[in-house]
Every structure is written in C-alpha cells, then in structure tokens.
C-alpha cells in the first residue's frame, strides 16, 4: 500500500496523469482539470490525513467530482404542466407536435435497434429502466467497467443518431 505524499510535489506528481485519464473518459479537458484542481486543493489544505493510497484516492475523488458536475450540468428545471400550458398554449394545439413526437420515438427505436445486443441491454436497463450500473453488471454477469463502457458507447451512438431532433 502506498503512503500518501506529505508535500505539494508528491500530490502534483499525479496531476497530469489524473487529468489525462479523465479527459479520455468522455470528459471535457477543462472539466477534468477543474476536478483535479478541486481534489488537489482539498488535499493540500489538510484533507489527506486518512488517505492510505494517494493515487487511488485522487482518482476516486476526481471521479466523484466529475459525476457531480455532469449531474449539475444536465439538471433541468421542472416546470409544472399547467404553467407550461399557460406560457405556450399553441404547443398543445400544434397538429405537427404529435407527428414530431412519433418521429422521435421511431428514431429512438431505430437507434436502439442498431446497437449490439449487450450494449442495448445495458443502456435500456440503466437509462430507461433505472437500474444502477452495478446492478446491470450483476444482472449481465459482466465487469462494472465493461458495463460503464457499453453505456457510454451506447449513449454516444444514440445521441449521434438523434442529434437532428435537437434544436440548434
């Protein structure tokens, strides 16, 4: 077991590796740098007394920070259906809205059908049915990192196929 570095130089030795690893895992480089800096700042201000394996701690802490940032960025404000109807009543009477909704549903169905079976199953269970990634891994008998990769790949492929439905 490696001991945590006790000085700034020891912690910073992992900085470049940490940023590079997270930038490769579907994170923007600026988000990876922010996460690494936040983790390093926390450690350097005295938060490293209980850390037994410095490198493992850095990776896990940065991962948690990135996940929190992704969740924050994707969070949508909820609007009550009644308020939306008052703000945009024309949307309810738009004859094309049901056609566009059907086109989107059909495109999603085609996008899911184009995925390899295991990727599709992992994606559906996690993103549509609400199972956690560890639950999906257990159900499929696969390693967690394999399921994570399947879901990331499937998300990217579905997003690419449905991008023309998103407004510019």
């Amino acid at each position: 077991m490696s001991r945590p570095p006790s000085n700034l130089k020891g912690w910073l030795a992992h900085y470049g590796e940490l940023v590079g690893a997270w930038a490769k895992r579907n994170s923007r480089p600026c988000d990876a740098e922010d996460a690494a800096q936040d983790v390093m700042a926390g450690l350097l201000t005295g938060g490293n007394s209980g850390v037994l394996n410095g490198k493992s701690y850095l990776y896990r802490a940065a991962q948690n920070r990135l996940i929190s940032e992704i969740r924050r960025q994707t969070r949508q404000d909820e609007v009550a259906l009644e308020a939306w109807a008052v703000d945009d009543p024309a949307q309810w009477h738009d004859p094309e809205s049901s056609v566009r909704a059907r086109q989107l549903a059909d495109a999603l169905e085609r996008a899911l059908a184009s995925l390899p079976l295991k990727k599709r199953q992992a994606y559906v269970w996690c993103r549509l049915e609400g199972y956690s990634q560890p639950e999906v891994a257990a159900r499929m008998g696969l390693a967690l990192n394999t399921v994570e990769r399947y879901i990331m790949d499937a998300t990217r492929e579905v997003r690419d196929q449905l991008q023309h439905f998103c407004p510019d």
Side-chain angles (χ1 to χ4, degrees):
M1 205 180 304
S2 67
R3 299 298 304 165
S6 58
N7 61 16
L8 176 62
K9 193 174 187 179
W11 286 112
L12 291 179
H14 300 296
Y15 181 82
E17 182 181 348
L18 182 67
V19 170
W22 282 108
K24 289 178 190 175
R25 298 189 83 178
N26 286 345
S27 177
R28 296 180 315 187
C30 61
D31 289 341
E33 288 175 0
D34 287 347
Q37 288 173 359
D38 288 349
V39 171
M40 292 287 185
L43 288 170
L44 294 173
T45 57
N48 64 348
S49 60
V51 177
L52 297 176
N53 186 328
K55 188 174 180 179
S56 295
Y57 177 83
L58 287 173
Y59 275 84
R60 176 53 71 185
Q63 178 183 19
N64 291 344
R65 165 62 171 75
L66 286 169
I67 290 169
S68 295
E69 180 62 20
I70 289 167
R71 286 180 180 153
R72 187 194 64 74
Q73 289 175 0
T74 59
R75 195 171 295 134
Q76 301 280 332
D77 290 334
E78 291 184 20
V79 177
L81 186 58
E82 296 80 20
W84 185 64
V86 170
D87 290 344
D88 192 10
Q91 185 70 20
W92 288 106
H93 304 293
D94 181 8
E96 293 183 17
S97 64
S98 62
V99 172
R100 285 193 304 270
R102 182 75 257 161
Q103 290 172 340
L104 177 59
D106 291 343
L108 177 59
E109 191 174 321
R110 284 190 305 275
L112 291 173
S114 72
L115 296 172
L117 181 62
K118 287 186 178 184
K119 276 187 191 177
R120 178 176 46 221
Q121 188 64 64
Y123 182 84
V124 168
W125 279 348
C126 187
R127 300 288 190 217
L128 302 179
E129 295 185 14
Y131 289 100
S132 68
Q133 291 181 356
E135 290 172 327
V136 172
R139 290 184 81 172
M140 294 181 77
L142 298 171
L144 179 58
N145 63 346
T146 301
V147 169
E148 289 171 346
R149 190 182 63 228
Y150 282 171
I151 293 170
M152 283 190 306
D153 290 349
T155 300
R156 188 178 316 111
E157 292 173 32
V158 168
R159 182 185 61 227
D160 290 348
Q161 291 185 39
L162 299 180
Q163 70 183 359
H164 64 278
F165 284 96
C166 296
D168 292 332

